[in-house]
Amino acid sequence: MGFQVLETSKLLNYARARSLWIVTFCTGCGGVELPPTATARFDFERFGIISTPSIRQADLLLITGYVTPKTLKRIIIVYEMMRNPKYIIAHGSCPVNAGIYWDSYNTVKKLDLYIPVDVWIAGCMPRPEAILRALVKLMKMVKEGKALGWKRYLENFEFYRKKQDRLFGKDWRKREIEKLRFYIHD
Amino acid sequence: MVSELLAIESLATIASAIVAKKSSKAAGIITLASSVSILAYLMTIGPRVLYDVVSLGAILPGNIVIGLTQVGWYFSFIVALVMLMASMFSLEYVKKPNATYWLLFNLTFLGAIGVTLSIDLVSFFLFWELMTWSSYLMVALGDTRAGLKYFLFSILGSISLLLAFALMWWLSGSTIIPKAFSIVATSSTAIRIPLIILLTIGFGVKAAMFPIHVWAPDAYPATPQPFAALFSGGLAKLGAYGLALLTMFISASKFMMFEDVVWGYVLAWLGAVTIIVGAVLAALQENVLKLIAYSSVSQMGYVVVGLALMTSLGMASALYQALNHALFGSLMFLIAGAVYLATGTLNFKDLGGIADKMPLTYTAALIAVLSSAGMPLTTGFNSKWMLFEALIIKNYYLLASAVFVGSVLGFLYNIKFVYGIFLGQRPKSLENVNEVGLLALIPMLTLAFLNLAFGILPGIPLQYINTALASLGIPGIEASLTGIYTNIGYWNVLYVSVGFVLAFGLAMVLFIAGGKLRRVSVLETYMSGFIPPENYVLRINYDFYQPLKFVFGRYLRLSVDRAYAWTTSLFVKVADIIRKPIYLGDAQAYVWYIIATIILFFLIFIGGGV
Amino acid sequence: MTLDVIVEILATVGMVFLLLILGLIFMGIARKVSARIHRRIGPPLYQPILDVIKLWSKIDPSSHGLTFDLGPLIALGGAITAALLLPIMGLKLLSFSGDFIVLMYLMELPALGIMLGAAASGNPFSAVGVYRGLILFTGAQLPYALAVMAVAAEYKTLSLTEIVALQQGSILNWGLFRNPFAALVIAIIGLALLDVQPFDIPSAPAEISMGPMVEYGGKHLALMLTAHGLEFVVFATMYSIVFLGGVGDPISFIVKTVFVALLAIFIMNVYPRWRIEQAFSYLWKYPAALALLGLVKAVMLGGAM
């Protein structure tokens, strides 16, 4: 089937909206608000959202907490391994503008330069009600076909790559691999 | 007419041995031509009775009888088919001039085909010994200790066979096989029990049955792989041939006494233990050839169980399994040979991920593995299904459960075989692996095709099996071209395969209609967020079934091999104790021995003779 | 090719689609009932259908080669073929082509397909899931074989239609009451065959991140989830046919299969996960002993009338 049909069909968008799967990847201290949202009191499973440990199967990545360059490398690797269409929610004040670490030398202040974000949630920490509201907003955007962060990433790939390389230095993936040589006994 | 076959093969042996000193290719062509002619003759003449009395007046007094019977035709077909595939593969495998290999290869085939074509006990035994000796020499060239083990067990078997044949000749007065074997059924208990035990040991050694199987895992890896294909695919069937003769004549005579039933039950349990022990040990091996050797031992266990049941369905399933094991067992050895030719190594530690480089070999390996595990629509399933039905009809429920567990244990080593060699990450050293040549591919793909063909059309082999059973007066089994029917169940391959094809087609339609696939390399895989370097080992190439070792730990310490080794060392110790007081190694003691002997003779001489 | 045969073929095709949807609804029932046990609301019953549609609509799924793609295809093909052999609601198109033993082997085909595909993905987590899955599968077979032999001894036949026919008459003729040991053992083994707690070690989600399915996403996973749901239905139907008196009409089909599914779901929510060696030791001791008792009962105390 053509790309267009897969993207814009109403049935498929409805299915995508009512069955978001979250990667179980809690990047920072904001992750502590996810278990209450998932369990009996606030229960996001009634919207069809479950958390899955495998990134090939998931389509929603929650950046929950402050982002250092070390974490950002992992987030980029994980984001690129996820399959399109995929969405990102920036959860907490730290992804917005580094929150309470606004004057630290080691946190990323503007996350939008490196990966595309669809929904932002402010708060330190956002309560489960706020998270549910953001999830409902994302579901509405997906149903209408307006959550197109993944498309922005694909179309402006050069831009994002340039910004990532500017932060980490060129060939940062090779240098990441070199760091693991220590653990390889050949 | 039939003795011409043996003459052709003898000439081919001599010719190829002479020619192989200069060119291996010519020797291979001679071997191939002779095996093609033998197979073609067998297929055109079909199963029937043909006697040919050959007089050996110059060498031995009396005549030997060479000929065809229906049962003999079936087994000679199996041996000839395996030989054809193995010799075609050998043309690719043995490139340098190697007279020993071609001579022993042809001699083994001569012995094997002679066994199935002999109608009297003397020629049976002569060809049996020829086959054993030539395969022993081949094993000893690879690994001396394995050869010695094989030799000792074969001697044990041969002595038992010789004693049993002598007893049968004494009881029945003739050496013709049908008369000699049918005397076993009607002889008195005191003679029958030792006779049956001797025959079981004699044939069981060759068929690698449970307590006497220990030579097989060391002997099969010691030979070159095409020879091992003939060894496990052809020679082990001859042990089954002997057991089949014995059980078929006993069951046909309708004189089954209580001892026969007990012996059948014990033999069936030995077969079931063979299946389970072979499968568990195969799953724990780290060398490809040893894994295939143990799996070969395990699969022959099904034949023993089927024969021991002595009902027509059981014996039919055993004969069918003999054909199937020749098809997928020798295929597995040929695949190991192809992998060795392409990569040069046969340890799981160094292999992995060559499915992309050797796609045709991989397809043949997949089909071999599916057949060996007993998946429906392949030929391995048909014989296993018949065996289960036979066991349930005879109310041997515990045996049926044991055989079922053994059959499922077969999954373990089959998946390990495919995963360890063909799937997963490819190590750097195997980057330049190529597919093997055409002469090696043709036998592998032909055997794979036969696996599928006989799986979907079980009627073709079953027709010949029914002929073989009917020739001895045993009722056949009910089978059409694509279906088998028993008292308590049925299996209609045609409808189920049509159903499977349609289901697979539906799944493929749903699959293709989805998004477009993106091929990713094996390094771009989920490793908790980091990118693995290129020589990071991503496959599990050692100790794949570690929990199994943990669970069976206590039982794995028992070993029949070590029991034999312990017995041998016991004999050595006892012999040492006897030797020490006598062979003192001291010249003076020997002089005293000489003087004592002279005095003794003198006294006897004076006393006037004994 | 008379009209009857054509009608039966069409009915069978319709039945296959019905079973596919029903399999997904069973998975939805599992999630809803688990949620209620946890005192939550839970997703709607048709949620797995939405999951499958979403997965199928992924725009560029990744693949590791031909065998990787073949895994889900063999799984779904095998599950559908196994479903075709069951006599459901009066449809007997293929059920005269294979008996109980054929059904048992065909039910193994989806697991084999998934194991092959997972092995082909080259991920170490998948390889760990593969060997654990195979060992668990082997562990489940000893009690399974003994229980099936008990059933064969009880009914003296292996044909599914005849087993159903032998259970008609009164409720006490059901296999559940004639050989309760075998029924109990096959219920426990069903948990092992379907990857359900306490035997879900092959796809231990938090430990080896979904085990064999870690590299599967997109339409591969859609087919595998459908196959998994269909396996669930096939097992529940097989259990109803052998022990609960057959599924001759739609009402008894739904009631009996949902009953079996609920049994599995209740046990699944209470137990944590066993390690592989604990699971294997357990399976080869207690269910095997129970199944042996069932076999003894079937042989000694008489079988079919």
Side-chain angles (χ1 to χ4, degrees):
Chain A
M1 268 193 211
F3 215 62
Q4 313 308 109
V5 182
L6 278 179
E7 267 183 71
T8 59
S9 144
K10 279 178 85 150
L11 169 67
L12 295 180
N13 277 336
Y14 176 75
R16 286 176 189 142
R18 299 301 299 230
S19 141
L20 290 167
W21 284 7
I22 305 186
V23 181
T24 335
F25 178 22
C26 306
T27 49
C29 41
V32 79
E33 291 291 341
L34 279 177
T37 321
T39 52
R41 193 158 176 163
F42 295 101
D43 191 24
F44 61 28
E45 196 180 350
R46 56 200 155 112
F47 301 119
I49 305 176
I50 51 178
S51 84
T52 169
S54 163
I55 53 183
R56 298 275 190 204
Q57 304 170 2
D59 34 22
L60 178 55
L61 182 59
L62 290 184
I63 317 268
T64 60
Y66 61 89
V67 180
T68 58
K70 187 171 177 180
T71 321
L72 188 58
K73 286 180 195 161
R74 305 296 181 267
I75 291 177
I76 293 175
I77 294 174
V78 167
Y79 183 68
E80 289 182 351
M81 272 207 223
M82 285 163 67
R83 302 283 95 223
N84 294 317
K86 48 198 176 185
Y87 321 103
I88 295 194
I89 293 186
H91 170 285
S93 298
C94 287
V96 176
N97 57 3
I100 60 174
Y101 308 111
W102 59 273
D103 57 352
S104 158
Y105 59 91
N106 204 24
T107 51
V108 169
K109 310 291 186 305
K110 205 160 161 18
L111 188 60
D112 219 5
L113 289 177
Y114 306 104
I115 47 176
V117 177
D118 292 305
V119 174
W120 308 85
I121 315 177
C124 185
M125 312 282 152
R127 274 192 59 86
E129 290 95 337
I131 304 176
L132 282 177
R133 188 170 168 156
L135 285 170
V136 168
K137 180 166 182 202
L138 180 67
M139 279 159 55
K140 203 150 79 143
M141 283 166 69
V142 171
K143 214 186 309 196
E144 291 163 4
K146 295 216 178 73
L148 294 173
W150 57 275
K151 243 190 154 174
R152 282 204 307 269
Y153 195 75
L154 282 180
E155 281 159 8
N156 305 324
F157 192 60
E158 291 307 320
F159 168 76
Y160 283 109
R161 266 290 147 99
K162 216 163 53 158
K163 296 286 183 212
Q164 288 163 12
D165 286 345
R166 198 187 65 167
L167 177 61
F168 302 125
K170 258 180 134 29
D171 291 337
W172 58 274
R173 285 166 204 259
K174 285 212 177 54
R175 279 182 290 116
E176 272 307 302
I177 296 177
E178 285 308 312
K179 281 190 197 158
L180 288 171
R181 287 244 177 251
F182 176 68
Y183 297 104
I184 301 172
H185 309 279
D186 232 9
Chain B
M1 274 296 288
V2 180
S3 49
E4 267 81 2
L5 284 181
L6 295 175
I8 294 177
E9 182 54 34
S10 323
L11 279 175
T13 310
I14 303 175
S16 63
I18 297 177
V19 169
K21 280 211 212 294
K22 291 292 169 52
S23 147
S24 209
K25 200 163 169 150
I29 294 183
I30 297 178
T31 314
L32 189 59
S34 82
S35 54
V36 165
S37 58
I38 292 182
L39 188 63
Y41 177 80
L42 284 172
M43 278 171 64
T44 46
I45 203 162
R48 67 170 80 164
V49 181
L50 263 186
Y51 277 40
D52 207 359
V53 179
V54 173
S55 149
L56 291 178
I59 317 174
L60 293 169
N63 306 323
I64 61 173
V65 184
I66 312 270
L68 273 181
T69 58
Q70 282 89 348
V71 184
W73 180 90
Y74 185 76
F75 280 95
S76 54
F77 176 78
I78 297 179
V79 174
L81 179 66
V82 173
M83 176 66 179
L84 176 62
M85 301 298 159
S87 47
M88 211 189 297
F89 195 87
S90 306
L91 269 173
E92 182 81 22
Y93 193 85
V94 180
K95 288 261 169 61
K96 302 202 206 95
N98 189 344
T100 329
Y101 176 82
W102 291 108
L103 175 67
L104 292 175
F105 196 40
N106 278 304
L107 270 182
T108 314
F109 178 56
L110 178 62
I113 208 93
V115 167
T116 57
L117 290 179
S118 30
I119 304 211
D120 84 300
L121 293 174
V122 175
S123 55
F124 189 101
F125 189 73
L126 283 176
F127 282 114
W128 185 273
E129 286 300 292
L130 176 64
M131 161 187 83
T132 308
W133 275 83
S134 30
S135 49
Y136 154 69
L137 284 172
M138 196 81 221
V139 172
L141 278 178
D143 178 359
T144 328
R145 215 169 160 272
L148 192 60
K149 225 196 256 187
Y150 176 45
F151 187 61
L152 283 174
F153 278 96
S154 296
I155 293 285
L156 174 70
S158 301
I159 293 183
S160 317
L161 272 187
L162 193 57
L163 279 174
F165 284 171
L167 267 177
M168 287 199 291
W169 173 72
W170 177 65
L171 279 176
S172 65
S174 100
T175 57
I176 306 290
I177 282 187
K179 293 208 187 75
F181 271 94
S182 46
I183 208 71
V184 179
T186 52
S187 51
S188 68
T189 308
I191 271 272
R192 174 199 278 159
I193 295 186
L195 190 54
I196 289 186
I197 293 183
L198 283 173
L199 282 171
T200 311
I201 295 180
F203 292 126
V205 164
K206 219 23 169 218
M209 214 172 61
F210 171 59
I212 30 188
H213 70 286
V214 289
W215 57 268
D218 292 317
Y220 289 156
T223 57
Q225 281 85 45
F227 191 88
L230 178 65
F231 204 165
S232 92
L235 301 196
K237 305 296 169 296
L238 298 175
Y241 174 53
L243 279 176
L245 281 177
L246 178 61
T247 51
M248 280 170 34
F249 276 102
I250 289 186
S251 127
S253 74
K254 304 189 186 10
F255 261 137
M256 282 229 263
M257 320 235 55
F258 179 64
E259 305 86 50
D260 292 326
V261 177
V262 169
W263 166 71
Y265 196 63
V266 168
L267 191 63
W269 268 109
L270 281 179
V273 173
T274 314
I275 301 176
I276 298 185
V277 165
V280 170
L281 287 176
L284 300 172
Q285 295 302 319
E286 304 295 340
N287 182 337
V288 175
L289 287 179
K290 277 197 115 131
L291 186 149
I292 306 180
Y294 273 109
S295 92
S296 187
V297 166
S298 174
Q299 298 287 340
M300 281 306 286
Y302 291 96
V303 180
V304 173
V305 176
L307 286 175
L309 286 182
M310 294 200 263
T311 65
S312 65
L313 190 59
M315 287 190 284
S317 87
L319 291 176
Y320 197 179
Q321 172 74 8
L323 174 65
N324 290 343
H325 176 58
L327 288 179
F328 59 71
S330 42
L331 179 57
M332 281 172 87
F333 268 114
L334 291 182
I335 290 171
V339 168
Y340 184 69
L341 277 180
T343 64
T345 169
L346 278 176
N347 284 319
F348 281 119
K349 256 189 334 181
D350 310 315
L351 285 170
I354 53 181
D356 300 324
K357 300 277 183 181
M358 303 174 70
L360 291 171
T361 314
Y362 173 57
T363 316
L366 256 188
I367 296 181
V369 152
L370 286 177
S371 196
S372 170
M375 274 294 114
L377 305 185
T378 58
T379 185
F381 173 70
N382 295 335
S383 55
K384 290 202 175 85
W385 181 83
M386 280 162 63
L387 183 61
F388 287 129
E389 300 279 317
L391 283 167
I392 294 180
I393 288 180
K394 219 168 169 210
N395 291 342
Y396 284 165
Y397 297 113
L398 284 177
L399 253 181
S401 317
V403 170
F404 191 76
V405 171
S407 148
V408 174
L409 280 169
F411 268 107
L412 294 179
Y413 59 78
N414 284 314
I415 296 265
K416 178 168 186 179
F417 180 67
V418 173
Y419 171 72
I421 302 180
F422 293 105
L423 298 175
Q425 186 201 31
R426 188 167 46 231
K428 265 280 183 250
S429 53
L430 297 181
E431 272 311 310
N432 299 325
V433 160
N434 286 324
E435 184 70 84
V436 285
L438 194 64
L439 278 172
L441 279 180
I442 293 181
M444 292 197 290
L445 293 175
T446 316
L447 283 173
F449 171 72
L450 281 177
N451 267 316
L452 285 178
F454 286 158
I456 303 188
L457 302 172
I460 301 181
L462 281 178
Q463 163 196 338
Y464 293 109
I465 295 177
N466 272 337
T467 321
L469 287 178
S471 72
L472 292 170
I474 305 176
I477 57 174
E478 211 187 306
S480 68
L481 186 60
T482 58
I484 316 178
Y485 308 98
T486 69
N487 287 344
I488 58 173
Y490 33 72
W491 165 227
N492 190 328
V493 194
L494 185 64
Y495 294 151
V496 174
S497 41
V498 166
F500 180 73
V501 165
L502 290 176
F504 195 81
L506 173 67
M508 265 191 75
V509 163
L510 287 174
F511 187 75
I512 295 182
K516 191 162 132 92
L517 285 177
R518 222 192 85 196
R519 178 73 201 262
V520 296
S521 84
V522 85
L523 286 175
E524 191 190 322
T525 183
Y526 175 65
M527 288 295 290
S528 313
F530 74 88
I531 315 170
E534 287 206 347
N535 51 359
Y536 193 84
V537 178
L538 283 177
R539 62 193 187 280
I540 302 183
N541 52 7
Y542 180 72
D543 224 3
F544 194 62
Y545 288 115
Q546 199 263 341
L548 206 65
K549 257 195 224 176
F550 182 82
V551 169
F552 284 140
R554 202 183 326 147
Y555 304 104
L556 284 175
R557 282 191 234 126
L558 311 166
S559 156
V560 182
D561 208 359
R562 278 208 297 269
Y564 285 119
W566 178 82
T567 323
T568 319
S569 64
L570 190 67
F571 271 106
V572 169
K573 281 202 196 89
V574 166
D576 240 7
I577 295 179
I578 300 182
R579 168 188 79 87
K580 281 230 171 60
I582 305 182
Y583 282 84
L584 290 168
D586 181 9
Q588 296 178 329
Y590 295 148
V591 171
W592 277 114
Y593 289 155
I594 296 178
I595 296 179
T597 318
I598 295 180
I599 297 181
L600 186 64
F601 281 158
F602 189 58
L603 285 175
I604 293 176
F605 181 61
I606 293 189
V610 181
Chain C
M1 271 298 187
T2 62
L3 195 62
D4 297 330
V5 177
I6 297 184
V7 165
E8 249 194 68
I9 294 183
L10 281 178
T12 311
V13 170
M15 171 69 67
V16 165
F17 282 107
L18 174 69
L19 285 180
L20 287 174
I21 308 271
L22 199 64
L24 294 172
I25 303 243
F26 268 33
M27 284 167 62
I29 294 181
R31 278 170 71 173
K32 184 78 165 179
V33 172
S34 308
R36 288 289 171 171
I37 294 179
H38 301 163
R39 302 186 69 163
R40 299 183 278 132
I41 297 183
L45 279 184
Y46 53 85
Q47 179 66 37
I49 303 182
L50 294 174
D51 283 339
V52 163
I53 297 180
K54 175 211 66 168
L55 284 171
W56 183 80
S57 76
K58 285 277 188 183
I59 291 181
D60 56 349
S62 59
S63 146
H64 281 282
L66 191 57
T67 317
F68 186 80
D69 296 335
L70 273 180
L73 292 177
I74 295 181
L76 189 55
I80 295 181
T81 317
L84 285 174
L85 280 179
L86 298 165
I88 303 181
M89 295 202 250
L91 271 182
K92 294 186 178 49
L93 186 61
L94 272 190
S95 51
F96 285 114
S97 309
D99 60 357
F100 200 8
I101 303 229
V102 176
L103 182 68
M104 278 167 72
Y105 268 92
L106 276 178
M107 276 167 65
E108 299 169 4
L109 199 53
L112 183 65
I114 296 182
M115 296 294 160
L116 261 181
S121 73
N123 192 319
F125 294 132
S126 309
V128 170
V130 163
Y131 77 68
R132 284 181 185 177
L134 283 172
I135 293 179
L136 182 69
F137 184 72
T138 307
Q141 298 303 314
L142 178 62
Y144 195 24
L146 285 171
V148 167
M149 292 306 143
V151 165
E154 182 81 38
Y155 296 113
K156 296 275 184 297
T157 174
L158 283 175
S159 144
L160 289 167
T161 37
E162 271 186 48
I163 292 182
V164 169
L166 281 171
Q167 289 180 61
Q168 304 310 318
S170 81
I171 202 173
L172 283 179
N173 268 347
W174 281 8
L176 185 59
F177 301 110
R178 277 160 73 154
N179 201 335
F181 298 115
L184 182 59
V185 167
I186 294 198
I188 299 179
I189 297 306
L191 297 173
L193 292 176
L194 292 174
D195 252 3
V196 153
Q197 268 132 334
F199 297 111
D200 74 335
I201 187 78
S203 65
E207 189 191 0
I208 45 176
S209 47
M210 297 304 276
M213 306 198 276
V214 71
E215 278 292 307
Y216 277 117
K219 55 186 181 175
H220 301 99
L221 191 64
L223 290 180
M224 273 168 68
L225 280 184
T226 321
H228 192 247
L230 190 57
E231 257 190 70
F232 209 153
V233 172
V234 166
F235 179 79
T237 315
M238 187 267 285
Y239 195 85
S240 316
I241 287 177
V242 176
F243 292 111
L244 296 179
V247 282
D249 52 288
I251 301 211
S252 72
F253 175 53
I254 299 285
V255 167
K256 289 177 187 171
T257 44
V258 169
F259 170 73
V260 173
L262 281 180
L263 210 63
I265 296 170
F266 288 154
I267 300 183
M268 168 173 104
N269 274 304
V270 173
Y271 282 96
R273 180 189 309 153
W274 255 323
R275 283 200 321 262
I276 183 66
E277 56 265 12
Q278 289 173 327
F280 193 90
S281 315
Y282 170 76
L283 283 171
W284 272 39
K285 280 191 211 150
Y286 303 105
L290 268 183
L292 197 56
L293 268 179
L295 183 61
V296 165
K297 183 260 167 201
V299 170
M300 298 282 183
L301 299 183
M305 335 284 207

